[in-house]
Amino acid sequence: MSKISDYFGLQAEDFGEDFVWGVSTAAYQIEGAHDIHDKGPSIWDDFTSKKGNTYQNHHGNDACEFYHKFQEDILLMRKMNIDHFRFSLSWSRILPNGTGTVSIQGIQFYNDVINFCLECGITPWVTLYHWDLPLALEEKGGWTNRDILDWFQEYVTICANSFGDRVKNWMVLNEPMVFTGAGYFLGVHAPGKKGLKNFLPSVHYAVLCQAAGGRILRKLVANANIGTTFSCSQIAPYRKNRRDQRAAERADALLNRLFIEPSLGMGYPWDTVPVLKRIQSYILPGDTENSVFDFDFVGIQNYTREKVKHSYFVPYIRAKIVKASKRKVRTTLMDWEVYPPSIFKMIKRFNGYEGVKKVIITENGAAFADEIYKGGVHDEERLSYLQAYLKQVYKAQEEGLKVDGYFVWTFTDNFEWAEGYYPRFGLVYIDFKNQERIIKSSGKWFSEFLASLKIHL
Ligand code: NOJ
């Protein structure tokens, strides 16, 4: 049988025995069962219940019904040779009010998922916070309230004690720049808050929680592999002039440096973006030291690159992203440029930080308008996207850079936040009318690609 992967020229085993291959997901995007048993509402349940916040008012009430279908999905992973599964815990499923009473059923659900993964020989990678804050906490200010430090530590302690005997790979936060930027500055994600007065405290408290979460896991989980994840994109000036160059540096500081640098003891990048100095009013004695944590790995999540130009009209940052659709380049359905060298640049960039011990690609993938045709989903564009990005990951390895794993975003099509179900990112197609799963061409290729790892077993 001729295999698609033969034409690609690389096999999973070429990346080395210890390289981790997996798929990534997040609770709100897949689970559904939004109000089952005593689960409390999250900010995303609330945000999506209000008209106009998401594409055609889509919501995650049912999503992929992973809550009910997790066995089917994990078995499908097994069948596709996927050995590592990254998923997140829904805080309000575990603590319906964010703090206080723990839901027995919530803990049971994640125990079932974890145990089933282990039975199937799949290693669980758990993200503690992937954007679905309990609504009860948002009503007290959410990420803008310094009390989040206590709330978060209580939650992490419960998760570490409940699952740490079996889960060894942990990520504290998912893309803090996105949940603070989109959720507390632009207002386009839950909880829909805007402005610097919301953004700056949420940044600082997320930085503190990032490190505090790491410390709790270190204390409570034996042999833990602890990381956290960052969104990142190569940023290039739109035109070759000094003003665009400066604008690109400011955008880069905000989008790529804001959360990693304080965790490495380098502080906030306010030399490049002066408005960040206003964070100082939230910094209490001891905070700078407490922002630091010695992560075992950093998870980097790269999809595209951005081109940035100077703009007087954008307050504070005076920089503007020039949309990919205006640049006549190949794009995905998210209007993100397909630009594989960006992932190489980002691996290199994170390797450049002295304190970074390991780099894992915890997300990479692409959305296209997939359709069922003659019983199959022939997503050639995703397939070539993944191959092109993987070639860059391989190049990084060949050049001696640290890169220790790669997780595809995502396993099945799912709820893409403000864009609803319109962009499909999965290796597996979901027909949301009947929840049928169909492995796409990219999924078939990925499982063949991973098969080289099994031959030697
Ligand atoms: C970033 C987020 O972590 C994930 O939730 C999202 O669906 C993907 N990247 C694609 O936008």
Side-chain angles (χ1 to χ4, degrees):
M1 193 181 80
S2 100
K3 291 183 188 163
I4 308 166
S5 46
D6 289 343
Y7 304 109
F8 173 46
L10 287 172
Q11 292 292 351
E13 64 175 351
D14 298 331
F15 290 74
E17 259 176 30
D18 298 330
F19 197 87
V20 175
W21 293 100
V23 288
S24 284
T25 64
Y28 188 73
Q29 295 180 273
I30 61 168
E31 286 178 1
H34 71 294
D35 60 358
I36 205 164
H37 307 306
D38 49 357
K39 177 180 174 290
S42 78
I43 53 174
W44 272 95
D45 291 310
D46 182 57
F47 190 70
T48 54
S49 71
K50 295 178 181 145
K51 290 228 161 354
N53 280 338
T54 58
Y55 173 78
Q56 293 185 353
N57 301 314
H58 287 177
H59 52 70
N61 291 2
D62 306 306
C64 312
E65 291 183 8
F66 179 81
Y67 185 90
H68 299 290
K69 289 177 167 289
F70 71 89
Q71 295 193 335
E72 183 188 328
D73 284 348
I74 292 168
L75 284 172
L76 191 57
M77 270 173 222
R78 177 66 291 139
K79 189 175 145 198
M80 290 170 69
N81 301 321
I82 296 165
D83 287 342
H84 297 267
F85 175 32
R86 173 182 173 221
F87 57 92
S88 75
L89 308 177
S90 155
W91 186 339
S92 65
R93 206 181 279 294
I94 291 173
L95 284 152
N97 296 309
T99 62
T101 310
V102 175
S103 163
I104 310 279
Q105 284 116 327
I107 298 282
Q108 185 63 47
F109 169 63
Y110 292 114
N111 272 332
D112 292 346
V113 171
I114 292 162
N115 293 342
F116 196 66
C117 281
L118 296 173
E119 267 172 48
C120 293
I122 291 177
T123 306
W125 291 63
V126 167
T127 313
L128 285 161
Y129 185 75
H130 201 128
W131 306 358
D132 45 354
L133 188 74
L135 184 61
L137 300 183
E138 183 54 40
E139 281 161 356
K140 298 181 199 158
W143 285 98
T144 69
N145 184 341
R146 197 177 165 100
D147 289 346
I148 188 94
L149 265 167
D150 294 332
W151 305 330
F152 189 68
Q153 293 185 75
E154 179 184 337
Y155 166 61
V156 179
T157 302
I158 291 163
C159 296
N161 283 333
S162 306
F163 312 121
D165 56 337
R166 286 149 296 147
V167 175
K168 298 299 170 190
N169 303 290
W170 293 84
M171 284 143 287
V172 180
L173 300 181
N174 181 72
E175 297 194 348
M177 181 54 210
V178 178
F179 77 75
T180 56
Y184 288 85
F185 186 65
L186 299 173
V188 295
H189 276 190
K193 283 188 173 165
K194 290 183 185 165
L196 273 190
K197 69 173 195 310
N198 290 311
F199 178 62
L200 295 180
S202 69
V203 167
H204 185 55
Y205 303 144
V207 162
L208 287 170
C209 284
Q210 185 174 263
R215 282 191 290 274
I216 292 175
L217 292 168
R218 183 73 78 224
K219 193 166 112 204
L220 299 180
V221 181
N223 307 317
N225 181 32
I226 305 167
T228 196
T229 76
F230 303 107
S231 47
C232 59
S233 300
Q234 180 187 344
I235 311 280
Y238 182 56
R239 295 159 298 204
K240 284 198 166 58
N241 63 39
R242 208 173 140 71
R243 285 194 321 170
D244 281 11
Q245 178 62 42
R246 285 281 176 79
E249 282 162 18
R250 289 192 294 277
D252 177 66
L254 203 61
L255 298 176
N256 293 329
R257 299 170 48 200
L258 185 59
F259 286 87
I260 173 101
E261 295 195 356
S263 84
L264 295 171
M266 300 164 69
Y268 293 105
W270 53 49
D271 289 349
T272 314
V273 183
V275 71
L276 292 175
K277 287 192 183 133
R278 296 192 205 171
I279 286 189
Q280 275 162 317
S281 61
Y282 304 99
I283 301 182
L284 298 185
D287 281 6
T288 307
E289 298 73 26
N290 287 334
S291 300
V292 179
F293 181 71
D294 191 17
F295 285 104
D296 299 314
F297 70 93
V298 298
I300 65 173
Q301 320 207 138
N302 172 265
Y303 290 84
T304 187
R305 77 158 163 185
E306 304 290 2
K307 289 225 167 175
V308 167
K309 69 177 180 188
H310 180 271
S311 166
Y312 284 115
F313 304 108
V314 182
Y316 314 121
I317 175 121
R318 308 239 177 273
K320 192 177 172 335
I321 287 177
V322 182
K323 286 191 172 166
S325 48
K326 294 210 169 132
R327 294 193 271 120
K328 299 196 177 69
V329 290
R330 270 181 63 208
T331 60
T332 69
L333 213 61
M334 301 293 282
D335 193 14
W336 294 346
E337 181 183 6
V338 177
Y339 191 74
S342 179
I343 203 165
F344 174 84
K345 281 264 166 40
M346 288 298 111
I347 295 169
K348 192 163 182 173
R349 164 72 86 83
F350 280 82
N351 268 257
Y353 287 117
E354 212 179 303
V356 169
K357 296 189 206 149
K358 268 189 177 187
V359 172
I360 295 181
I361 313 293
T362 40
E363 282 186 28
N364 172 244
F368 291 106
D370 305 317
E371 280 173 7
I372 307 176
Y373 178 70
K374 294 192 177 164
V377 180
H378 310 279
D379 59 336
E380 302 300 328
E381 279 184 289
R382 176 173 301 98
L383 203 162
S384 68
Y385 175 103
L386 294 174
Q387 292 187 341
Y389 276 70
L390 274 177
K391 275 191 181 154
Q392 295 288 327
V393 176
Y394 188 70
K395 177 179 162 199
Q397 255 201 352
E398 279 203 307
E399 292 192 12
L401 297 171
K402 290 177 277 215
V403 50
D404 298 281
Y406 177 92
F407 288 71
V408 178
W409 184 271
T410 181
F411 184 53
T412 60
D413 294 337
N414 62 40
F415 176 77
E416 177 56 25
W417 309 110
E419 280 75 27
Y421 296 93
Y422 177 58
R424 292 177 175 271
F425 274 93
L427 293 172
V428 176
Y429 182 92
I430 294 194
D431 183 341
F432 287 101
K433 288 194 296 297
N434 57 17
Q435 289 289 342
E436 192 193 345
R437 274 81 168 136
I438 301 170
I439 305 176
K440 302 180 191 176
S441 300
S442 60
K444 289 182 185 161
W445 163 73
F446 194 54
S447 57
E448 283 178 7
F449 172 77
L450 297 178
S452 70
L453 300 170
K454 309 277 157 179
I455 295 165
H456 311 293
L457 291 180

